[in-house]
Amino acid sequence: MNATIRKIVTVVEETRQEGGRDVSPPTRRAAAIAVIANPFAGRYEDDLTPLMTIGEELGRLLAERAVAALGIDGAKVESYGKAAAVGEDGELEHAAAILHPKLGAPFRKVLTKGAALIPSSKKRGGLGTVLDIPLGHKDAAFVRSHFDGMEVQINDAPRAGEIMVAVAVTDSGRPLARVGGLKTSEIKGEDGLR
Amino acid sequence: MPDVVIRKRATIVEDILHEGGPPAAVPLKRGAVLSVIRNPFAGRYVEDIAGFMDDLTPLGLDMARTLLAALGGDPARIQGYGKGAIVGAGGELEHGALWHVPGGYAMREILGDAKAIVPSAKKVGGPGTRLDVPITHINASYVRSHFDAMEVGITDAPRADEILLALVMTTGARVHARVGGLKAGDIKGEDGLR
C-alpha cells in the first residue's frame, strides 16, 4: 500500500419513505471514504505520479468496501460517483491526481462494468468538510432517474496534511423518481451515455 | 400506542487505523446505526407518551442486530456503547427520552451481560443536526481508555415531525489511549462502574 491510511469510514443509507409514501423496495446507497496522508502537503511538487498510484489502490479498496457495505454483487450496482476533499495544506490538483487518471479502472472492475464517466467533485476544506458525491448511472450517463448525490462528512477530517477520498455506489435511482428522461430499461450501454 | 413508521435507516462504520501515532495491530471500529421515525406526538402536548417505549423495543433490537453485524457479528468483540436521539422541531426533548429504555435494553439483550449504564445524549434540532453520542465501556463506566464519542447525523433528518434514533458500539479503546485511569483488564464487573 502506497497510501498511509488513518481512517476508513463506510456509510449505508436506506430510504423507506419519501414524501410520506412507501419506497418499495427501499432505495439504498453506500459510500466508502479513506482519510490518507497527503505526501505533498505544504510544498509544490511538479510530479504527482505517487498520488495517481494511490488513486489506483483506493479505487479498488474503496469500491470493495462500499459494495460490501451495500451487501450486493458488484455487478448489481446501478450508479456510482467519486469525490475528494484536500486538507488546507494541499492543492486541488492533488485531489485531481487521485481521482482522475487511475481510480476509475479498478473501481469499474469491482462492478464488472461501467461504461459511463464516473461523475466527480472535489474541494479543499477543513475538518468536518461536507462532500457531495455526485451520482450517475454506471452504464448510461443520461438515465435521469439516477442523477443524484450523496453527502458524506467526517468530523475529524481532513486535517491540514490529509486528503479524504470517497466513492459511492447504489442499488437504485432516486426514491419515487418521476421526471421522465431515459429509463434504465432503454439503456443500450455502448457509449456510456445512453 | 401509535405504529413506528420508519422513513430512513443509516449504518456508519469507522475503521480507525491510527491518529498520528503507531498504527494499531487491530484497527478500532466505531459503528452507529440510525433510524429516522415519525414522531407521533409532534405538534402538540401529549401527556401520556410512555407506552411508545414498548412500541420502540422491536426497532431497538433490529437496530442493535444490524449494528453488531456491521461490526463483524461477534458480541464478544464489543467493548463500548452509547445511544442518542435528535427530536425534530415539532417535538419535545422528552420525546427523545423515550429511547432510553428500548435503546439500552436492545444493546444489553444483544451483548449478553453488559453491566454499565449506557451513556446517552439528546437534543432538539433541524435537518442535518449533528449529535455527539457518548461512549463508555460496556461493563465498567470508569474505564478511562474507553471514554469516547461518535458524531452522527443525516443531512435531511430529522424533519419537524420526526425523531432520529441512534445506537453506537465500539470494539475497543481510543486508538492511542494513554492517559491512565482504570484499565479494562482491572475491571471487577460487579457494580457497572469499576
Side-chain angles (χ1 to χ4, degrees):
Chain A
M1 214 21 146
N2 289 283
T4 303
I5 301 175
R6 175 166 70 84
K7 199 169 194 178
I8 298 174
V9 178
T10 57
V11 186
V12 184
E13 275 189 14
E14 179 175 312
T15 299
R16 299 184 180 197
Q17 287 193 333
E18 178 80 356
R21 287 192 179 221
D22 288 343
V23 178
S24 184
T27 55
R28 301 177 72 245
R29 54 197 190 177
I33 310 127
V35 180
I36 65 165
N38 181 351
F40 303 131
R43 66 191 170 91
Y44 180 83
E45 172 62 48
D46 206 43
D47 178 9
L48 300 179
T49 308
L51 286 174
M52 299 175 198
T53 306
I54 285 173
E56 188 173 23
E57 289 175 351
L58 293 180
R60 179 177 166 189
L61 172 75
L62 295 176
E64 286 177 346
R65 289 286 189 118
V67 169
L70 211 50
I72 62 174
D73 282 342
K76 299 280 187 195
V77 167
E78 294 195 358
S79 61
Y80 58 12
K82 61 185 178 183
V86 181
E88 61 186 86
D89 287 346
E91 286 178 66
L92 219 46
E93 197 62 14
H94 298 159
I98 289 176
L99 290 175
H100 301 309
K102 291 187 172 173
L103 185 146
F107 189 177
R108 290 184 172 94
K109 198 170 174 190
V110 172
L111 310 184
T112 69
K113 204 181 163 184
L117 182 81
I118 305 174
S120 67
S121 67
K122 68 179 75 61
K123 60 164 63 165
R124 179 166 45 229
L127 309 189
T129 291
V130 174
L131 260 184
D132 288 310
I133 310 171
L135 287 166
H137 194 285
K138 77 175 198 298
D139 294 318
F142 275 91
V143 173
R144 199 178 292 169
S145 56
H146 285 56
F147 293 154
D148 203 353
M150 179 170 179
E151 187 186 293
V152 295
Q153 182 180 17
I154 301 175
N155 58 289
D156 69 349
R159 287 189 164 104
E162 293 182 331
I163 305 174
M164 247 171 89
V165 185
V167 309
V169 294
T170 77
D171 70 355
S172 43
R174 293 185 307 278
L176 311 182
R178 57 189 189 282
V179 295
L182 185 68
K183 294 182 175 56
T184 51
S185 57
E186 298 163 351
I187 295 174
K188 287 184 187 150
E190 289 159 15
D191 62 0
L193 296 172
R194 292 180 179 83
Chain B
M1 280 278 138
D3 286 341
V4 177
V5 182
I6 304 168
R7 176 167 68 85
K8 201 168 195 177
R9 291 275 295 268
T11 309
I12 306 160
V13 178
E14 295 188 350
D15 279 12
I16 302 168
L17 289 83
H18 75 86
E19 208 189 329
V26 180
L28 167 67
K29 280 184 186 286
R30 280 204 301 226
V33 59
L34 314 176
S35 289
V36 180
I37 65 164
R38 192 170 68 84
N39 180 354
F41 311 118
R44 65 197 197 283
Y45 181 81
V46 178
E47 177 63 31
D48 181 13
I49 60 173
F52 196 52
M53 292 191 284
D54 292 335
D55 302 304
L56 289 174
T57 301
L59 173 63
L61 285 168
D62 186 46
M63 287 169 65
R65 288 191 191 105
T66 299
L67 179 53
L68 179 62
L71 292 173
D74 180 3
R77 284 199 62 205
I78 304 303
Q79 297 183 20
Y81 57 16
K83 63 186 193 290
I86 308 173
V87 180
E92 289 174 63
L93 201 57
E94 194 63 13
H95 301 156
L98 289 166
W99 186 231
H100 286 297
V101 172
Y105 162 80
M107 289 196 289
R108 288 168 199 282
E109 182 70 15
I110 297 298
L111 299 178
D113 196 25
K115 290 195 164 51
I117 189 169
V118 182
S120 64
K122 69 179 87 60
K123 60 166 70 165
V124 174
T129 295
R130 310 289 292 178
L131 182 68
D132 294 319
V133 181
I135 298 166
T136 54
H137 194 283
I138 61 166
N139 286 320
S141 300
Y142 277 90
V143 174
R144 198 178 292 169
S145 56
H146 285 57
F147 290 149
D148 204 353
M150 181 169 176
E151 187 186 302
V152 300
I154 295 179
T155 312
D156 69 350
R159 289 184 168 119
D161 64 348
E162 292 179 333
I163 307 174
L164 187 158
L165 303 171
L167 297 179
V168 170
M169 296 181 195
T170 67
T171 60
R174 295 183 308 279
V175 71
H176 302 316
R178 58 188 189 288
V179 297
L182 181 66
K183 292 182 172 58
D186 297 334
I187 294 173
K188 288 185 187 148
E190 289 160 11
D191 59 1
L193 296 173
R194 293 181 178 83

